[in-house]
């Protein structure tokens, strides 16, 4: 496994045999089974697999957890090696954002609701760093988790709008046995918050069950999710949504593919979860 913080080394490795397909798994490290499921999918579908580990500062607001975001480079590299990854790109901030850097990628609509409403600068940071990673690695395919549902919508749009020659693959959410979606931020939950945090998945299941029983009124579905979450006192809702799955605009009636999603605080820890229905 080649590990490098140099763009030049990535380019040389990628170009050594242009006939080979490459899968890219972009990450911010602190790798868990969710990330490894993306690596395994990339491993199965490509001749070579690259991963990147970069805690991208431009997608964190000044008030967010950049300084305390979990980091474990040695552990991450051991996990990637065990999965048979060929190349790991671990750039420094100076490599990605050298002095004079001033170009950003902005999407005008799909970045605005949901996560974007709470985190107005987040997706500009994500879109910019993902565009840079695509240009540096030039992967055949790139792998993202459904856990960050809006991010997948943003990146699909980015690939289409800027004509990146990359096939996007979205892999399912990986959950703990009790339903909690895997996230690097779960590590922040204390012993009271951790069991309560299963309420995100329970709310999604309750909403799905209502839909399957014939409920089509989206406000009623949102109410079911809010009520389920409100029954767990440590949980504080930031948003609960039932939105059209591609444009991410809230719907009144559930008639097409619909993304149920939410962001919920447990103390200072902000968790997100989602489920596609009527897909
Ligand atoms: O999903 C993430 O971990 C990040 O947003 C990504 C795609 C690696 C960009 O920094």
């Amino acid at each position: 496994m080649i590990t490098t913080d140099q763009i030049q080394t990535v380019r040389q490795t990628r170009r050594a045999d242009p006939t080979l397909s490459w899968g890219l798994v972009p990450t911010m490290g602190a790798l868990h089974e969710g990330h490894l499921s993306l690596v395994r999918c990339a491993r199965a579908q490509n001749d070579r697999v690259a991963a990147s580990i970069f805690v991208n500062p431009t997608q964190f607001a000044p008030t967010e957890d950049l300084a305390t975001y979990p980091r474990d480079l040695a552990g991450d590299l051991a996990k990637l090696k065990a999965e048979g990854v060929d190349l790991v790109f671990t750039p420094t901030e100076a490599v990605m954002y050298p002095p004079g850097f001033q170009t950003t990628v902005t999407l005008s609509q799909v970045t605005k609701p949901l996560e974007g409403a709470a985190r107005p600068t987040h997706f500009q940071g994500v879109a910019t760093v993902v565009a840079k990673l695509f240009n540096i690695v030039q992967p055949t395919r790139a792998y993202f988790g459904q856990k960050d549902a809006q991010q997948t919508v943003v990146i699909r749009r980015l690939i289409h709008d800027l004509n990146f020659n990359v096939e996007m693959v979205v892999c399912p959410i990986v959950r703990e046995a009790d339903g909690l979606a895997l996230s690097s931020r779960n590590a922040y939950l204390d012993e009271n918050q951790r069991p309560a945090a299963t309420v995100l998945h329970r709310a999604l299941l309750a909403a799905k069950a209502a839909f399957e029983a014939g409920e089509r009124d989206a406000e009623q579905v949102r109410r079911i999710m809010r009520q389920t979450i409100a029954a767990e006192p440590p949980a504080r809702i930031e948003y609960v949504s039932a939105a059209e799955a591609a444009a991410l605009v809230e719907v009144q009636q559930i008639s097409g593919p619909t993304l149920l999603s939410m962001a919920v605080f447990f103390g200072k820890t902000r968790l997100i979860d989602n489920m596609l229905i009527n897909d």
Side-chain angles (χ1 to χ4, degrees):
M1 186 173 84
I2 299 169
T3 302
T4 182
D5 60 6
Q6 295 299 306
I7 292 172
Q8 200 52 28
T9 308
V10 174
R11 289 201 196 283
Q12 277 162 4
T13 310
R14 173 69 180 94
R15 286 184 188 149
D17 182 349
T19 66
L20 297 178
S21 62
W22 279 78
L24 170 66
V25 184
T27 82
M28 299 207 302
L31 302 181
H32 50 64
E33 277 297 312
H35 300 106
L36 299 182
S37 75
L38 304 182
V39 172
R40 286 172 200 140
C41 191
R43 182 70 281 166
Q45 295 181 348
N46 300 275
D47 299 317
R48 298 284 183 271
V49 176
S52 59
I53 300 176
F54 179 58
V55 184
N56 175 35
T58 66
Q59 67 188 75
F60 290 80
T63 50
E64 291 177 357
D65 57 346
L66 173 64
T68 54
Y69 194 82
R71 288 169 172 81
D72 176 21
L73 185 59
D76 290 345
L77 292 176
K79 287 176 191 161
L80 294 174
K81 191 167 184 194
E83 295 295 337
V85 169
D86 300 282
L87 172 67
V88 188
F89 181 44
T90 58
T92 60
E93 210 175 312
V95 163
M96 292 302 267
Y97 301 113
F101 185 91
Q102 55 191 279
T103 306
T104 52
V105 181
T106 309
L107 291 87
S108 56
Q109 289 168 31
V110 290
T111 54
K112 292 286 185 291
L114 307 176
E115 291 298 288
R119 310 177 72 191
T121 56
H122 173 68
F123 287 115
Q124 184 179 76
V126 170
T128 302
V129 80
V130 169
K132 286 169 68 67
L133 291 168
F134 284 173
N135 282 329
I136 293 165
V137 180
Q138 306 212 349
T140 318
R141 299 182 186 85
Y143 295 80
F144 298 90
Q146 175 62 28
K147 166 84 188 333
D148 292 303
Q150 189 171 10
Q151 174 169 278
T152 69
V153 173
V154 168
I155 293 169
R156 182 165 287 119
R157 200 67 246 171
L158 168 76
I159 290 174
H160 189 263
D161 288 355
L162 295 188
N163 309 98
F164 281 104
N165 191 18
V166 177
E167 182 189 325
M168 179 169 177
V169 182
V170 178
C171 304
I173 296 176
V174 180
R175 298 183 181 280
E176 303 279 6
D178 64 4
L180 179 66
L182 295 196
S183 163
S184 306
R185 291 189 171 104
N186 292 350
Y188 303 145
L189 298 170
D190 68 25
E191 70 274 16
N192 295 322
Q193 294 163 343
R194 172 60 190 80
T198 60
V199 77
L200 279 77
H201 187 231
R202 286 188 274 122
L204 291 166
L205 290 177
K208 183 176 177 226
F211 170 76
E212 285 172 352
E215 184 61 75
R216 293 294 179 270
D217 178 346
E219 188 46 37
Q220 185 56 26
V221 170
R222 286 185 283 264
R223 191 172 302 128
I224 289 167
M225 292 192 281
R226 280 194 294 264
Q227 282 171 352
T228 309
I229 297 166
E232 282 289 353
R236 190 165 49 82
I237 295 174
E238 184 181 274
Y239 69 80
V240 160
S241 162
E244 194 279 318
L248 303 180
V249 174
E250 294 301 307
V251 289
Q252 296 311 312
Q253 289 290 313
I254 299 177
S255 55
T258 303
L259 180 72
L260 307 177
S261 68
M262 57 194 51
V264 179
F265 277 96
F266 294 84
K268 287 190 180 138
T269 305
R270 183 177 181 278
L271 300 183
I272 57 172
D273 204 346
N274 72 83
M275 189 175 278
L276 275 169
I277 59 166
N278 208 24
D279 201 11

